[in-house]
Amino acid sequence: MPRKAKQGMPRAATLHDVAAKVGVSAITVSRALNSPDLVSKNLREQILAIVDELGYVPNRSARTLVSSRSYTVAVLIPSLSNTVFIDTLAGISEVLDPRGYQILIGNTAYDDEKEERLLRTHLSHKPDGVLLTGIRQRPQTLAHLAKLGIPAVHMMELDPTDACLCVGFSQEAAGRQITEHLLARGYRRIAFFGARLDPRVMQRLDGYRKALQAAGCHAAELEYLNPRPSKIGLGVEMLDTLRREHPDCDAVFCCNDDLALGVLTGCQRTGIAVPAQLAVAGFNDLEGAAWATPALTSVRTPRYRVGFEAATLLLQLMEGEATPALRQLDLGFELQLRGSS
Amino acid sequence: MPRKAKQGMPRAATLHDVAAKVGVSAITVSRALNSPDLVSKNLREQILAIVDELGYVPNRSARTLVSSRSYTVAVLIPSLSNTVFIDTLAGISEVLDPRGYQILIGNTAYDDEKEERLLRTHLSHKPDGVLLTGIRQRPQTLAHLAKLGIPAVHMMELDPTDACLCVGFSQEAAGRQITEHLLARGYRRIAFFGARLDPRVMQRLDGYRKALQAAGCHAAELEYLNPRPSKIGLGVEMLDTLRREHPDCDAVFCCNDDLALGVLTGCQRTGIAVPAQLAVAGFNDLEGAAWATPALTSVRTPRYRVGFEAATLLLQLMEGEATPALRQLDLGFELQLRGSS
DNA sequence: TGCTGCAATGTTAACGTTAACAGTGGAGGG
DNA sequence: CCCTCCACTGTTAACGTTAACATTGCAGCA
């Protein structure tokens, strides 16, 4: 006997309700909605009319349970307040939305353990695929995904060991090239401002070091690393410290534009001429960079495309059987040279 | 006979797998995880050990299907690139994450129809509750939610008709007060720069009009409304137009800080003294406002708290039975008066 | 001793959908 | 006229979990 429905408890229309009203079986309604070709035109139209009338919305849980396809993709990003990842998300949505995938966003807050926990939580939704930021995940975590047959694509970095599928660009090369640009302009006492200190910032730092070492200009005391989140205010602060400790410094490469805009603000407030007294370079080329005074030299990163291509690749893995030939998709970057350097 | 398992198809551990290994029934494992008090300490520990060993993750679809509780909340916001809504989301997560709710983010892109579609899509996840931005939803949409027994809370605005539950502040009052501030400072030819033109911008415009009308200073030709998204670049452009068409204008109230920062940038580039020749006020008090030159007068809006309180209210509706006494929670706002005015 | 009561565990069925297979009837070919 | 085949629709069972009720066994008490 069917379980007694609680009185007054509202219930959403089901396939059976629609089917009963049309006078067919539930599976026919299911087919009318999911494989329209299998149902005669006449009947299909009747069904769609009733679906509309009853406001029927399919129950994803039931579908997921029986079909072992959830049409859900888990996306783990370190922050929602960083435009970089929002742009990435936009690229992901662009690909997955029209294909009917639901995106489950996980905000790891730059915390490896939280990422681990989030991934586990998200697994309870049986995602068909996973998009991860960076390649720092524990091997056993990735192995677990592999064992479950859930494909994963890593974004924003490339993997030198080629162990995981990556879509991104070389953070190190970007850091190196922007530093080489400063060297080419004649600056020799070039500082590095790093905040947050996530793996990508550290890779940019690596690039910075290599460029300076190659030019014989590296000076460890000009590396300013601060674990706090990157903010304009922090850039102002760090500039202050730099000027006090190393007034001879002639250029700063900031690990991102927020910090760099703070440096520009600080220069403007304390009357430091940019770039005459101090050149400034940022990273990511956010909207504000081009409008700053002077306009900020930065590295334009292809984050929208990273999301787009990563989602496209994941889609292939989720739907096709072909394993991609190219495991490291390098989308490059572009120096944006402007007035600040 | 059980359906034949596909060879080589990886399968996640289920309650039964854990149960079999421990030598108990599935329901006991379920209870060990969800109502630990019902299971003896000894057995519980054994079970948890095996859960860990097998890497068991509960299947939410199955749980949702049978318990009609999904522990999912749908949140519809107009944009992810607008810090305002990211802050709101942070407030929401703060409340719902620790309670085990999964947040399903829908980006409506300021499009009422897309919002409608998104909500429908999200209904297929059987959310236990819904958080909406603004109160512009079609009555029949809200009626549909009500019929399904899904509680909804509206954010960022207040409802003069008291028809829906709202957590926010009066956008109109905010627009009025910032305009009154400009009037109090002696400005009389005060322009309005509006972009995007979503309902909240129009309410701020209303407040601006009322303040000017009350002071006998309203001039329709000083209202600049542009449907494009709000960006620094647009602010620069609009300033250009304003200076060409109404060089006598002595102040601008921008519907948000992006536009206002653009105006400041434009002034700096063309040598317009702020506030001597042109006063500028923004809205939302983003990070950049305080660091601009001169620092930007703005309206500090309680968006984090809006998210926090809206989620708290929704939680009550989803879990408790009590209908809240207060249907319009006004969190107010705060003028931040700085150098630009 | 026998009964009550409760703590601990088990059995059964149901949630809403789709996979897999089973008809059913009519068109078309020989 | 019969047989085949295909287009269309139906039946059954299963997905993994929990609600609801059932059972077991032992402590406590008269």
Side-chain angles (χ1 to χ4, degrees), chain B residues 279-291:
Chain B
V280 184
F283 203 98
N284 280 325
D285 196 26
L286 304 186
E287 203 213 347
W291 293 108

Side-chain angles (χ1 to χ4, degrees), chain B residues 175-176 179 192 202-215 217-218 220 223 225:
Chain B
R176 183 150 32 79
T179 309
F192 179 88
M202 299 315 276
Q203 288 161 31
R204 289 167 209 162
L205 170 60
D206 266 1
Y208 155 88
R209 280 180 183 157
K210 287 193 177 136
L212 289 189
Q213 279 159 356
C217 296
H218 183 244
E223 291 177 2
L225 303 181

